[in-house]
Amino acid sequence: MAQLVDDYDRESLTCFIQTHRNQPASLIQVLSHIQQTAGYLPKPVLVEVSEKLGLSLTEVYSTASFYAFFTFRPRGRHNIVLCNGTACYVKGTGAVRATLERELGIRAGDTTADRRFSLDVVRCLGCCALAPVVMVDKDVYAGVDPAKVPEILNKYQ
Amino acid sequence: MATVKLTIDNNPVEVEQETTVLEAARSLGISIPTLCHLRELNQVGACRMCIVEVEGARSYPASCTLPVSEGMVVRTATPGVRAARKMILELILSDHPNECLICIRNGHCELQAAADTLGVREVRFQRMSRRLHPKDDSGSAVIREPQKCIYCRRCVSVCAGVQGVEAVGPQLRGFSTVIAPPYNLPLAESVCVNCGQCLLVCPVGAIYERDETASVWAALADPAKHVVVQTAPATRVTLGEAFGMPPGTPVTGKMVAALRRLGFDRVFDTDFTADLTIVEESNELLNRMKNGGVLPQITSCSPGWVKFIEHFYQDLLPHLSTSKSPQQMFGALAKTYYAEEAGVDPADIVVVSVMPCTAKKFEAGRPEMQSSGHRDVDVVLTTRELVRMLKEAGIDLTRLPDEEYDAPLGISTGAGAIFGATGGVMEAALRTAYEVATGKPLPKVDIKEVRGLEGIKQAVIDFEGTPVKVLVAHGLRHARTLMEKLKAGELSEYHFIEVMCCPGGCIGGGGQPIGTDSEDRRRRIEGIYRVDKNMKLRKSHENPAVIRLYADFLGRPLGEKSHRLLHTHYVRRSAHPVLTE
């Protein structure tokens, strides 16, 4: 995957991490803050977390990789969320997913090289009557037919 | 300490308050199966095999994490407990490759043994196959096979708790879980120091040494090659274990005989170059003391320790002695001094080492270790690999006569032998440094203050009015403690520090028999000091072969030739290799 330019404010993250210096118990709180402000957990920032909090990178990465909430790749400008809850699964999420992955050239959980889209699979979005459901940013698409996927994607640049 | 009374399988027992049910049962001779427990190191209840029935409890608790309590009634092998254990084992097996026959741990596997003990004859669950994480054979010393891992966490606990390295840890979750360096970096690119303590505790074949017996067989079968072997100080007190001898039994003479029978052209001793290391290193120390060099000087013969300091304490590298380890001094001399003496083209010489150590494989492959103009040490075998070769060749160590090493690289003193135990290098160095510095015989050859299994030891030796202060650490966690103090300027009055990567020193190295514990270490150390005590010569500088080597070839300690062949330099490595990929 192409190297992406950092678009997070490293300096303010450093300041925040600094306030938890030598506090290994604050790890989750620090990781959450980074995830929410940078949109993901950049490698150099995790190294900084490990050094400042006094934990090995192994431990920091172990903890971070355990939780689905944390991600290690930058997010795209538009976030596609595909529901794989029971109803959506029964109504054919699989085909929608395959089309999305083919059209975007990435696997679920990843971001396109041009940072246009990120694709996530979740369960469940809580609107099972609309299955299969796709959300792009805040827009909900109900009863998605794989053939409609390119049309949906075209709306987001 | 307060005690607690409880009943286990109808046996009343009284134990100390903090004891676990597992240990209380063991004290009664009741063995509860476990695949993850390591006393005081890994008591995490990961494998669930040690579940027991406790009266009044709703479920079967894991006995390894369950503290005893007053009046507790425990049953360890009821039909319910046995059925549950069997199911747990079947679940583990459903996710474990079924390749016992070709696994490196075939016949020495705790999982295999548990399946046998519990009488598992079928696995009722559909076999899952984890192909997500492929074998990692990037390392020159240690190989990981995550498909075989049963997530017991022993390696993680040892890497962190004993070594303070934390090279590997669990990542991701569920079926995706893998024990690996952060970001799943290949071991070779990680901060792993190749000490192999993880593979000594792995219950299965998920971590093991790179087996290099094939290249030794090939060299031995090649008539154009002159194959010489060196044996490390610590292998002579552990090799016998695989042949049923108690830990710590010295089998030096039988080992020499066995190596001859395998077909080595010359059987030499690393103890010889251990003596040489002492002469170079103690002269280096005296030189630093006299000329205001960087002190304390720190030993450099343990390659796991060297890689550790290169990763984590780069700024302290000037403290490290520039003397090569005995293994590498041997290689450099075998392909120069010995080649000349024997009239053999060094290009035809194959140097094989038998080492208690996995990190020695890495050390031999370091690019700077070619001062003879060739790779100085060609192949490094661990004690276990030598056992494999002997068994494959049908050689029964117990039935061999005692034979002598070949001259001249097989002549050694007791000082060389004690390199194998923590504190041994220090003791050997002091024996020589004292006499070189004062010109007088050392009043007491045994320097017992630096012996034993305590993590950090210290001593002050009076060099005729000059007190020489020394420290000894073994296990990298203890080394880290010392390095933090050194960094903070707290060790400035010390002159010399010995660090051995592995607990107990080389007798507890990662190349030694699987399952090494503290009792094994203690007995092997006793064996080492027995070897020393029985030697006629016990001071390195009195080794006649070393004296001749200087007279005929090297010139003087720290001289030009020594510098070129016997000394080395170090590399600054990142503490976070993940950023440099």
Side-chain angles (χ1 to χ4, degrees):
Chain A
M1 178 176 157
Q3 197 63 43
L4 300 160
V5 182
D6 294 338
D7 57 358
Y8 53 89
D9 182 353
R10 178 71 187 261
E11 218 167 295
S12 78
L13 286 181
T14 298
C15 285
F16 177 79
I17 297 165
Q18 192 66 33
T19 62
H20 293 273
R21 210 182 167 85
N22 297 323
Q23 296 170 18
S26 305
L27 179 60
I28 294 278
Q29 193 188 335
V30 171
L31 293 177
S32 300
H33 177 88
I34 298 164
Q35 177 74 38
Q36 278 162 352
T37 49
Y40 73 110
L41 302 177
K43 218 182 258 184
V45 178
L46 286 193
V47 167
E48 192 178 339
V49 168
S50 110
E51 286 183 341
K52 297 261 169 67
L53 267 62
L55 289 161
S56 69
L57 185 64
T58 302
E59 179 139 16
V60 171
Y61 187 77
S62 280
T63 308
S65 67
F66 183 83
Y67 296 101
F69 176 74
F70 298 121
T71 52
F72 299 91
R73 293 267 175 84
R75 311 297 298 167
R77 292 190 297 281
H78 304 289
N79 199 27
I80 307 172
V81 177
L82 172 66
C83 182
N84 197 29
T86 310
C88 289
Y89 177 78
V90 170
K91 296 285 266 180
T93 301
V96 179
R97 177 180 176 159
T99 311
L100 275 170
E101 289 184 339
R102 196 178 58 241
E103 288 289 320
L104 298 171
I106 55 170
R107 306 292 304 270
D110 220 337
T111 300
T112 57
D114 59 3
R115 296 283 292 272
R116 192 171 145 211
F117 290 110
S118 305
L119 173 63
D120 282 316
V121 175
V122 300
R123 60 193 84 180
C124 129
L125 288 172
C127 45
C128 305
L130 307 179
V133 178
V134 170
M135 273 183 82
V136 183
D137 299 334
K138 286 179 175 155
D139 307 330
V140 176
Y141 294 89
V144 178
D145 175 341
K148 285 202 286 185
V149 164
E151 192 188 315
I152 295 172
L153 294 181
N154 271 335
K155 293 186 194 169
Y156 303 89
Q157 292 307 315
Chain B
M1 197 182 201
T3 59
V4 167
K5 288 190 183 112
L6 70 159
T7 310
I8 304 177
D9 294 342
N10 298 320
N11 300 289
V13 62
E14 187 171 352
V15 292
E16 283 180 3
Q17 208 167 21
E18 306 289 304
T19 315
T20 61
V21 169
L22 179 76
E23 268 146 23
R26 283 183 180 175
S27 73
L28 282 168
I30 298 167
S31 116
I32 298 174
T34 166
L35 293 171
C36 69
H37 179 261
L38 282 181
R39 200 180 140 82
E40 280 166 19
L41 204 56
N42 196 50
Q43 302 193 185
V44 293
C47 77
R48 315 309 294 175
M49 289 292 292
C50 68
I51 52 167
V52 291
E53 186 183 292
V54 178
E55 240 175 58
R58 279 189 310 157
S59 60
Y60 295 146
S63 60
C64 69
T65 53
L66 181 68
V68 293
S69 63
E70 191 61 38
M72 196 181 231
V73 177
V74 180
R75 292 185 192 88
T76 71
T78 63
V81 166
R82 283 189 288 112
R85 260 184 215 148
K86 212 163 177 170
M87 180 178 285
I88 290 164
L89 191 56
E90 283 178 72
L91 284 165
I92 295 174
L93 291 176
S94 74
D95 187 28
H96 187 84
N98 204 355
E99 1 177 295
C100 297
L101 283 177
I102 51 168
C103 178
I104 195 160
R105 292 290 293 273
N106 184 18
H108 313 277
C109 170
E110 292 181 43
L111 183 62
Q112 200 180 44
D116 181 46
T117 309
L118 268 62
V120 175
R121 293 291 171 261
E122 59 163 350
V123 174
R124 287 167 288 173
F125 308 101
Q126 189 195 334
R127 182 167 297 281
M128 304 289 291
S129 153
R130 266 179 286 153
R131 298 196 187 281
L132 219 50
H133 300 292
K135 175 163 152 178
D136 173 8
D137 63 357
S138 61
S140 48
V142 178
I143 294 175
R144 295 167 46 237
E145 242 184 279
Q147 302 95 318
K148 291 184 181 169
C149 175
I150 61 166
Y151 308 115
C152 70
R153 309 289 176 99
R154 284 182 185 172
C155 58
V156 177
S157 294
V158 166
C159 194
V162 175
Q163 298 298 54
V165 174
E166 298 189 53
V168 294
Q171 294 173 16
L172 308 172
R173 65 193 293 178
F175 274 110
S176 310
T177 307
V178 63
I179 309 293
Y183 293 93
N184 214 352
L185 216 60
L187 217 47
E189 292 166 33
S190 75
V191 296
C192 168
V193 303
N194 306 301
C195 73
Q197 289 299 311
C198 52
L199 56 85
L200 286 185
V201 295
C202 182
V204 295
I207 325 176
Y208 50 88
E209 73 284 354
R210 177 177 289 283
D211 185 306
E212 292 176 279
T213 53
S215 35
V216 178
W217 287 122
L220 290 171
D222 183 346
K225 296 290 180 199
H226 183 77
V227 191
V228 304
V229 64
Q230 56 167 325
T231 62
T235 54
R236 68 205 63 199
V237 292
T238 57
L239 185 67
E241 291 174 35
F243 297 88
M245 295 182 218
T249 311
V251 292
T252 319
K254 294 186 193 310
M255 177 171 68
V256 172
L259 290 165
R260 281 212 182 93
R261 277 162 183 65
L262 280 177
F264 286 100
D265 293 295
R266 290 288 182 282
V267 181
F268 291 137
D269 198 352
T270 316
D271 287 18
F272 165 76
T273 35
D275 280 334
L276 188 61
T277 297
I278 286 302
V279 172
E280 288 290 326
E281 199 166 0
S282 44
N283 275 289
E284 186 185 350
L285 173 68
L286 296 173
N287 191 38
R288 287 183 189 223
M289 286 169 68
K290 207 161 64 192
N291 300 319
V294 179
L295 289 173
Q297 176 176 299
I298 312 178
T299 59
S300 59
C301 39
S302 171
W305 151 243
V306 169
K307 188 160 184 268
F308 179 87
I309 187 172
E310 288 178 330
H311 277 296
F312 298 109
Y313 296 96
Q314 303 164 346
D315 294 343
L316 301 179
L317 282 171
H319 288 270
L320 216 49
S321 161
T322 59
S323 303
K324 280 185 188 169
S325 72
Q327 162 173 279
Q328 293 307 135
M329 284 195 182
F330 181 93
L333 288 176
K335 293 192 180 182
T336 53
Y337 172 64
Y338 169 73
E340 266 178 56
E341 286 237 323
V344 185
D345 181 350
D348 292 332
I349 297 181
V350 177
V351 175
V352 176
S353 309
V354 179
M355 292 285 143
C357 181
T358 42
K360 287 282 169 194
K361 289 175 183 277
F362 172 80
E363 181 185 54
R366 289 178 68 123
E368 61 273 22
M369 294 298 178
Q370 307 193 16
S371 36
S372 64
H374 306 269
R375 183 174 149 143
D376 294 332
V377 173
D378 295 285
V379 192
V380 178
L381 299 177
T382 57
T383 313
R384 294 189 297 273
E385 286 164 273
L386 176 59
V387 169
R388 257 172 245 148
M389 290 186 74
L390 295 181
K391 300 232 159 157
E392 194 175 339
I395 295 171
D396 180 357
L397 195 74
T398 59
R399 301 177 63 144
L400 294 178
D402 287 345
E403 291 182 11
E404 295 286 331
Y405 283 106
D406 290 306
L409 308 190
I411 297 169
S412 66
T413 72
I418 58 176
F419 259 65
T422 165
V425 174
M426 181 56 71
E427 185 169 345
L430 290 172
R431 288 178 191 173
T432 288
Y434 181 93
E435 300 201 351
V436 172
T438 66
K440 293 182 181 161
L442 185 66
K444 193 176 67 146
V445 180
D446 291 340
I447 304 168
K448 295 206 166 139
E449 300 93 308
V450 295
R451 296 185 183 180
L453 279 170
E454 203 183 319
I456 296 175
K457 296 166 278 188
Q458 57 175 325
V460 185
I461 307 296
D462 181 17
F463 277 32
E464 296 276 294
T466 310
V468 173
K469 299 187 75 175
V470 304
L471 285 163
V472 173
H474 58 114
L476 292 174
R477 187 171 59 92
H478 296 302
R480 196 183 268 284
T481 304
L482 287 188
M483 289 311 106
E484 287 298 323
K485 287 189 171 162
L486 183 56
K487 210 164 76 173
E490 291 168 31
L491 301 180
S492 49
E493 82 267 30
Y494 287 90
H495 301 94
F496 198 18
I497 302 178
E498 177 202 293
V499 176
M500 286 296 150
C501 173
C502 291
C506 310
I507 51 90
Q512 298 283 37
I514 298 288
T516 294
D517 63 16
S518 318
E519 178 58 14
D520 296 332
R521 291 188 167 92
R522 196 185 57 72
R523 293 167 74 176
R524 293 173 190 163
I525 288 173
E526 278 176 19
I528 286 269
Y529 287 110
R530 232 179 311 144
V531 172
D532 171 36
K533 200 119 218 169
N534 292 334
M535 299 290 276
K536 273 198 287 292
L537 293 173
R538 299 181 61 200
K539 295 167 193 162
S540 297
H541 56 290
E542 292 176 354
N543 182 330
V546 169
I547 295 169
R548 216 191 93 208
L549 172 70
Y550 278 111
D552 295 355
F553 184 72
L554 286 174
R556 60 185 172 82
L558 310 183
E560 185 276 322
K561 229 171 192 172
S562 285
H563 182 75
R564 191 162 51 80
L565 292 175
L566 309 182
H567 289 258
T568 187
H569 58 271
Y570 305 103
V571 183
R572 294 171 75 90
R573 298 177 197 273
S574 171
H576 294 293
V578 73
L579 291 180
T580 56
E581 68 181 307

